[in-house]
Amino acid sequence: MHTLPELFDVLWQAYVELCPDAAPIHALLAARGETVVNDHIALRTFDDPRIGLDVLAAAFTAQGYEPKQEYRFEDKHLFARHFEHGDAGQPKIFISELCTSAFSDAFQARVRGLVDQLPANIPGRWDLPALGRPWDLSYDEHEALRAESEYAAWLAAVGFRPNHFTISVNALTSFASLSELNEFLEANGFALNASGGKIKGTPEDRLEQSSTLAGEIVVSFSDGPHTIPGCYYEFARRYPDASGRLFSGFVPGSANKIFESTDRC
Ligand code: NI
C-alpha cells in the first residue's frame, strides 16, 4: 500500500519534468518567504472505458478521495469531475475525459489504437496518474489528432501526468490579490494565458484563476524528437460562500479557457 504523500510525490516529479516554469516559480515564492500550498491538481484522459475518468480516479479514491461535482464542456467535448479528501488541507483533484464519440471515425480509431497498446496491468496501478505515455505515437498521428482536438494531441503525446498543479493564492501571505501575483510573475518573465483575460472568474463566482502558458518541451515520438507545449502552473484564489465556507468547486466557463493553456499558437 502506498501513501498519499508518495502519490503526490510521483505526481509532482512527473509534472515538473514537463513544466519548465514550476521550479523557478517555486524558488521565487520561497525567496519571498512563502510556503506553497496546492489548491488542486488536474489530470486528463480519454473516455475509453479501459482508461477513463473512473479508472484514473481509482488511484485517488483508494487514498480517501470522494467524487464531488461534475462538469461538462460542450465545445471541447469534455466531461470532468472533481474529488475532495476528508482532510480539507489536501489538494482537490480535477479529472477530465475527452468524449471521443464526438469526433471523426478516423480520430476514434487513432485513440483506440493508442489504448490498445496498454499493457494489461496498467489500469490498476497505484501510480497510473503519473506514468507518462504508455503507448507509441508518431508525430504525424499527433498532428492528425491535433487537427480535431488540442486536448487529444497533448494527452496522446504526454500521457498520464498532471496537466497542472495549482498554487493556492489564499495561502500566500505577501500578495493582496491574484492580480498582484500575476504582475509579480510577469515582471519576473513568466507569460500568462490571456485567453478570456488573465484572470478567469470573479469574486461573485467564488473563484478567480490565472495560469502560465505551457512552456515548450521536447517529446520523443516514434519518428524522432519534436517540440510541443508541456504543462503549466495555475493560481487560484477562492472566496467564501454565503455560509462563510470557502467555495471548493470549479467554474466551467473559467476552466474552459484554462484548458487552452496547452494550445499551440
Ligand atoms: Ni485547474
Side-chain angles (χ1 to χ4, degrees):
M1 181 65 189
H2 294 268
T3 64
L4 188 54
E6 284 175 316
L7 179 58
F8 286 140
D9 189 51
V10 294
L11 287 167
W12 177 254
Q13 296 308 327
Y15 166 70
V16 294
E17 273 177 37
L18 298 192
C19 186
D21 288 342
I25 288 176
H26 247 272
L28 266 179
L29 291 173
R32 281 174 67 110
E34 295 284 9
T35 303
V36 172
V37 172
N38 284 320
D39 178 89
H40 67 271
I41 300 170
L43 298 148
R44 297 176 167 189
T45 192
F46 296 115
D47 69 350
D48 185 303
R50 293 170 288 178
I51 206 70
L53 192 162
D54 294 337
V55 179
L56 218 55
F60 299 97
T61 52
Q63 300 283 356
Y65 274 87
E66 288 181 1
K68 297 290 177 184
Q69 210 177 321
E70 296 178 357
Y71 310 87
R72 272 173 214 285
F73 304 93
E74 303 290 350
D75 63 327
K76 292 186 173 65
H77 307 294
L78 295 170
F79 172 75
R81 190 191 297 281
H82 93 263
F83 296 76
E84 293 182 29
H85 197 275
D87 169 3
Q90 299 295 349
K92 288 165 272 298
I93 306 296
F94 183 93
I95 307 179
S96 58
E97 66 179 12
L98 187 70
C99 306
T100 48
S101 64
F103 296 91
S104 72
D105 289 348
F107 179 100
Q108 293 181 50
R110 276 194 185 89
V111 171
R112 254 195 320 274
L114 298 178
V115 181
D116 283 347
Q117 296 177 47
L118 281 176
N121 66 330
I122 284 210
R125 282 181 59 147
W126 73 277
D127 58 350
L128 170 65
L131 268 191
R133 193 179 79 204
W135 44 62
D136 285 330
L137 176 75
S138 71
Y139 190 69
D140 282 351
E141 287 173 291
H142 169 75
E143 286 295 283
L145 289 171
R146 197 162 80 86
E148 295 189 50
S149 164
E150 290 271 0
Y151 178 107
W154 187 90
L155 172 59
V158 164
F160 302 109
R161 59 175 85 223
N163 169 260
H164 59 272
F165 272 62
T166 308
I167 292 179
S168 166
V169 177
N170 299 68
L172 298 176
T173 56
S174 66
F175 297 93
S177 64
L178 181 56
S179 60
E180 215 174 87
L181 174 64
N182 286 347
E183 283 163 25
F184 171 77
L185 294 169
E186 288 188 310
N188 281 283
F190 295 97
L192 300 181
N193 174 358
S195 174
K198 282 173 194 159
I199 295 182
K200 284 79 174 167
T202 64
E204 291 71 38
D205 292 326
R206 315 279 184 223
L207 176 61
E208 291 179 320
Q209 290 166 278
S210 64
S211 69
T212 63
L213 278 174
E216 296 283 298
I217 53 155
V218 177
V219 168
S220 34
F221 291 88
S222 53
D223 53 346
H226 292 271
T227 301
I228 64 163
C231 304
Y232 57 91
Y233 222 161
E234 191 174 296
F235 315 96
R237 181 177 184 191
R238 295 183 180 275
Y239 291 83
D241 60 21
S243 71
R245 272 180 30 140
L246 272 190
F247 174 66
S248 68
F250 295 85
V251 180
S254 303
N256 200 31
K257 292 297 180 192
I258 293 257
F259 275 119
E260 293 169 16
S261 300
T262 53
D263 288 3
R264 208 176 303 176
C265 301

